[in-house]
Amino acid sequence: MRLLDLLLPPRCGGCRRTGAWLCDTCRARIRRLQEPLCRRCGVEVESGRRECGCRSRMPSLARLRSAVAYEGPAEAAIHRFKYEGWRRLARPLAQLLAERLVVEGMAARWVVAVPLHRDRLRRRGFNQSDLLAGELRELLGLGAPPGELVRTRSTPPQVGNDRRTRFENVRNAFAWHGPPLRGEAILLVDDVATTGATLDACAAALRAAESGPVTGVSVARVNV
Ligand SMILES: [Zn+2]
Ligand SMILES: [Zn+2]
């Protein structure tokens, strides 16, 4: 934690009021995803449906789970966290995710973050998913893996792309640098998930390194 961050009074990432990094009002207004969820990719589905048709396009992830809808105070907070450098929001955002994962009863050995390419990391100064992964490890009592997932090539931003382009964009863009993962179950963390394309491409790299099942988790979900 940088000294400057510690000196700043907490200010809500949702509404900018001072007092807490995510105030009670915003916390209450954030819309949690409601059951029934696709049991595979975690989007809200109509009652009576168990899956949404995602099986063929997400071959490497075992499951994907997101905590809240990407709208309202959650969207504002994630935007400030990611693009305006409000790093202290990592904790309350990770808490939203942890609450969801406790409901799901998810077991894993390691928590891994979706990596940024080194050029983007240099520009932004931090990887938001890395900060979330660190908080999640603390909240859930899980460890960091013995190695590093890396983005081997720079990929254009996914915003505005259709589903097929999103998957093509990130195919083979990730690699595991480290020892084999010995069949261990992994939680793979990102801030926002849309189609699951990036998470699935990361999961492919982890599976290639002999991991066990990889569950993608994101704080927020864009429903497409
Ligand atoms: Zn607020
Ligand atoms: Zn689905």
Side-chain angles (χ1 to χ4, degrees):
M1 194 63 64
R2 297 174 309 172
L3 184 60
L4 189 62
D5 286 341
L6 294 172
L7 295 173
L8 287 172
R11 182 181 280 274
C12 175
C15 67
R16 301 181 60 92
R17 268 197 297 260
T18 51
W21 290 105
L22 198 57
C23 76
D24 289 344
T25 310
C26 286
R27 210 179 276 270
R29 276 184 55 217
I30 287 173
R31 192 172 76 76
R32 276 70 171 172
L33 298 189
Q34 298 295 317
E35 305 280 353
L37 303 175
C38 170
R39 61 181 177 169
R40 192 165 152 78
C41 79
V43 292
E44 292 170 318
V45 292
E46 291 160 33
S47 61
R49 291 189 67 189
R50 293 166 65 82
E51 291 195 13
C52 76
C54 55
R55 184 167 287 274
S56 59
R57 62 170 192 268
M58 251 179 34
S60 301
L61 282 174
R63 284 208 287 175
L64 170 53
R65 282 295 177 273
S66 310
V68 305
Y70 189 59
E71 60 187 41
E75 183 176 356
I78 288 171
H79 193 275
R80 289 186 173 118
F81 173 52
K82 193 166 167 178
Y83 299 112
E84 298 176 32
W86 293 32
R87 300 182 195 205
R88 296 290 289 276
L89 286 170
R91 186 72 179 192
L93 291 173
Q95 261 158 357
L96 291 172
L97 183 49
E99 285 164 19
R100 172 87 237 167
L101 298 180
V102 167
V103 171
E104 300 270 346
M106 236 162 244
R109 173 84 186 275
W110 292 314
V111 178
V112 175
V114 169
L116 292 179
H117 188 261
R118 60 179 183 277
D119 296 341
R120 192 172 301 173
L121 182 60
R122 204 175 302 130
R123 277 199 302 275
R124 189 173 295 169
F126 65 101
N127 174 358
Q128 73 280 358
S129 301
D130 233 355
L131 299 186
L132 290 171
E135 297 290 345
L136 209 55
R137 285 183 197 114
E138 262 187 58
L139 290 165
L140 302 177
L142 300 174
E148 196 185 0
L149 184 64
V150 295
R151 198 180 286 243
T152 53
R153 60 183 168 83
S154 183
T155 53
Q158 297 278 53
V159 175
N161 288 334
D162 64 16
R163 180 179 282 160
R164 180 199 292 262
T165 312
R166 282 169 180 263
F167 276 82
E168 282 167 5
N169 228 350
V170 290
R171 185 172 299 142
N172 300 323
F174 299 93
W176 174 251
H177 291 179
L181 292 164
R182 307 190 313 257
E184 298 285 0
I186 289 176
L187 287 187
L188 176 66
V189 186
D190 209 352
D191 53 345
V192 180
T194 303
T195 58
T198 302
L199 287 161
D200 199 71
C202 288
L206 295 169
R207 299 288 289 169
E210 299 170 26
S211 83
V214 179
T215 299
V217 297
S218 73
V219 176
R221 188 65 168 267
V222 179
N223 210 342
V224 285

